[in-house]
Amino acid sequence: MTADAQTPDPGKLRELIAGELAAARARTSGLTDCVDDDDLVRQHSPLMSPLVWDLAHIANQEELWLLRNVGGREPIHPEIDPLYDAFEHPRSERPSLPLLPPAEARRYASEVRGRVLDLLDGAPLAGSRLVTGGFAFGMIAQHEQQHDETMLITHQLRRGDRALSAAPPGPPPADALGLPTEVLVPGGPFTMGTSDEPWALDNERPAHRVDVAPFFLDTVPVTSAAYAQFIADGGYDEQRWWTPAGWEHRQQAGLAAPRFWSREGGQWVRTRFGVTEPVPPAEPVLHVCWYEADAYARWAGRRLPTEAEWEKAARFDPVTGLTRRYPWGDAPPGPQHANLGQRHLQPAPAGSYPAGAAPSGARQLIGDVWEWTASDFLPYPGFSAWPYREYSEVFFGGEYKVLRGGSFAVSPVACRGTFRNWDYPVRRQIFAGFRTARDAAAELRYGWEAGR
Ligand SMILES: [Fe+2]
């Protein structure tokens, strides 16, 4: 969360919650007011819901968790619940449902929000687990921001004129080009996950010790320029770089470059939010699936980091032996630390945000692009589903790969050093890139012997 929910002062906590809910709603409005009603009800891709579905679903979840579960209120429109149950209707089906039209969806969302703010004024923020530390309110602010990211993906898939704009990130710092290509993360145990972050979701819990062998990690995410070298070197044509499932998918789907890239006049161009332009070489590569990230890593003689490696690189401080909330420390993310919150509608150049660097020296672990890891989405030891099985538990297993760190599209409230995202290894429309790693144990042993 962006401020400290561990604050014992209920007045401050209420203020914090109201601020996070308002920030989420401002994003939601920005993403839905910039297009007309026809655009809101249309399905821009079978992978996504119509924007108007997200809008009413956000309100419906807020009503369900806050007004009904926390406040004990009667349903406002019980008949619409099944329409907005994500488990009842897959995205491809949603445009054919009798959804609330845009004006009604907006009215419903603002009615729910008004009642939630009344509830927040008097609700106890201690006692039951659902309200302690404002958890349910924090969960709903995160849920809305997660849908704001989903809606931004819909905007990316939408055809037509540009509807969104934002200031670009600044140029990279002077030292960006001279950074070492990789950083060493020392071996040994560290504390992964959390038991005390008040708004952490069930899959981030509990805190547990994990032993990680020493490894090298890319200092920055893989750039578009580096990825273009993989393409130019025939990376997509050489089966040896791909896992069997990855190669099969590459063949079937005809993968030849990141999604939204095309070749124009001898150079790569990329379409983003309705604008086509040359691919910026220094920008972290985006819109590659797990199979592509994994193939690139093999081509580079490296591998994807495991989830535990990623989190150790992002949170472990070898000086104190403690695990931080964020790479830079325990302070909430500020604009100097990371590219988050759709402040810029693109990743910043590789090497940006030195103030957000981890103790290892790695940069941009938080924000810019989600980073694919080698790991399947699995429960931590001691996991228990909370507050409902469908949040995480039903997704555990080998079908999904874990992504870490958040993207430029993610709000600070839904981005922590412990935050876990997951998706299918074929997924490309999400704001995902990656960085690579390699084992360090053998080299360190050799170095140690050589140094004796
Ligand atoms: Fe949802």
Side-chain angles (χ1 to χ4, degrees):
M1 55 190 314
T2 49
D4 196 353
Q6 285 155 327
T7 171
D9 179 342
K12 281 208 177 106
L13 182 53
R14 284 196 174 82
E15 215 172 279
L16 169 74
I17 290 167
E20 291 296 353
L21 290 173
R25 188 53 47 89
R27 275 312 314 150
T28 304
S29 302
L31 290 159
T32 50
D33 292 349
C34 62
V35 290
D36 62 20
D37 282 8
D38 182 49
D39 232 311
L40 290 175
V41 301
R42 195 183 320 146
Q43 188 167 43
H44 296 281
S45 156
L47 296 170
M48 309 306 290
S49 317
L51 291 166
V52 77
W53 185 92
D54 289 282
L55 183 56
H57 165 81
I58 286 168
N60 189 242
Q61 289 287 300
E62 184 169 334
E63 189 202 341
L64 192 69
W65 283 101
L66 299 183
L67 296 183
R68 297 190 220 171
N69 286 349
V70 173
R73 310 280 164 81
E74 290 300 311
I76 301 177
H77 301 296
E79 72 285 358
I80 66 170
D81 287 352
L83 300 178
Y84 297 104
D85 182 335
F87 285 88
E88 216 162 299
H89 302 285
R91 286 175 176 174
S92 56
E93 248 179 48
R94 293 174 191 166
S96 59
L97 301 172
L99 301 176
L100 295 182
E104 280 177 52
R106 287 191 175 105
R107 220 173 5 251
Y108 173 49
S110 80
E111 184 179 351
V112 170
R113 177 55 56 86
R115 294 187 193 192
V116 162
L117 294 178
D118 289 345
L119 174 71
L120 178 61
D121 273 344
L125 297 175
S128 84
R129 188 175 169 195
L130 199 55
V131 294
T132 298
F135 175 80
F137 293 91
M139 180 179 77
I140 284 302
Q142 292 178 71
H143 178 256
E144 181 160 353
Q145 289 281 8
Q146 283 161 351
H147 276 273
D148 292 340
E149 182 180 17
T150 305
M151 288 195 280
L152 193 66
I153 295 168
T154 306
H155 273 275
Q156 171 62 14
L157 290 163
R158 170 186 170 271
R159 285 177 219 284
D161 293 340
R162 171 189 196 145
L164 295 164
S165 61
D175 69 350
L177 289 176
L179 292 172
T181 57
E182 57 183 6
V183 297
L184 175 65
V185 180
F190 86 108
T191 300
M192 184 173 181
T194 177
S195 297
D196 51 19
E197 189 71 45
W199 291 2
L201 301 161
D202 60 359
N203 62 59
E204 300 165 65
R205 302 168 184 269
H208 58 288
R209 296 289 278 176
V210 178
D211 205 351
V212 176
F215 66 102
F216 290 102
L217 182 70
D218 289 344
T219 308
V220 296
V222 170
T223 63
S224 292
Y227 198 83
Q229 280 177 20
F230 165 67
I231 304 175
D233 197 39
Y236 279 89
D237 305 318
E238 286 201 49
Q239 192 173 349
R240 61 181 166 145
W241 307 132
W242 300 74
T243 60
W247 184 249
E248 196 186 329
H249 177 66
R250 176 256 168 272
Q251 301 286 90
Q252 269 177 8
L255 303 184
R259 189 158 182 180
F260 310 112
W261 282 32
S262 59
R263 205 76 184 149
E264 228 173 67
Q267 65 171 348
W268 286 112
V269 298
R270 175 275 318 275
T271 301
R272 177 155 55 208
F273 304 122
V275 177
T276 301
E277 61 187 8
V279 170
E283 200 179 280
V285 70
L286 261 182
H287 301 301
V288 287
C289 70
W290 186 89
Y291 292 130
E292 290 168 298
D294 178 69
Y296 172 97
R298 286 160 201 265
W299 167 80
R302 301 170 69 84
R303 59 178 175 78
L304 293 178
T306 65
E307 181 182 13
E309 286 173 337
W310 189 97
E311 187 166 324
K312 188 173 187 186
R315 299 183 62 208
F316 180 67
D317 179 355
V319 173
T320 61
L322 298 176
T323 295
R324 300 168 162 192
R325 290 176 79 200
Y326 299 98
W328 54 86
D330 293 339
Q336 74 279 27
H337 295 125
N339 181 8
L340 289 168
Q342 304 185 16
R343 199 168 53 242
H344 312 296
L345 291 173
Q346 63 194 85
S352 296
Y353 299 102
S360 61
R363 293 189 187 177
Q364 292 167 294
L365 284 158
I366 297 288
D368 290 301
V369 295
W370 284 106
E371 298 182 18
W372 287 110
T373 71
S375 302
D376 292 341
F377 186 47
L378 297 173
Y380 289 158
F383 169 85
S384 73
W386 166 257
Y388 60 112
R389 278 194 70 237
E390 287 74 18
Y391 188 80
S392 315
E393 196 177 10
V394 298
F395 300 100
F396 288 141
E399 252 190 298
Y400 298 95
K401 295 294 182 189
V402 172
L403 300 112
R404 286 305 203 96
S407 71
F408 65 89
V410 174
S411 159
V413 77
C415 191
R416 291 172 286 277
T418 55
F419 194 93
R420 308 173 76 195
N421 188 7
W422 65 93
D423 218 323
Y424 292 115
V426 299
R427 200 63 99 204
R428 302 217 293 169
Q429 76 272 21
I430 56 175
F431 300 113
F434 62 101
R435 72 179 79 205
T436 69
R438 68 182 175 104
D439 296 353
E443 200 165 311
L444 292 182
R445 207 175 307 123
Y446 174 78
W448 179 75
E449 280 165 4
R452 274 209 311 180

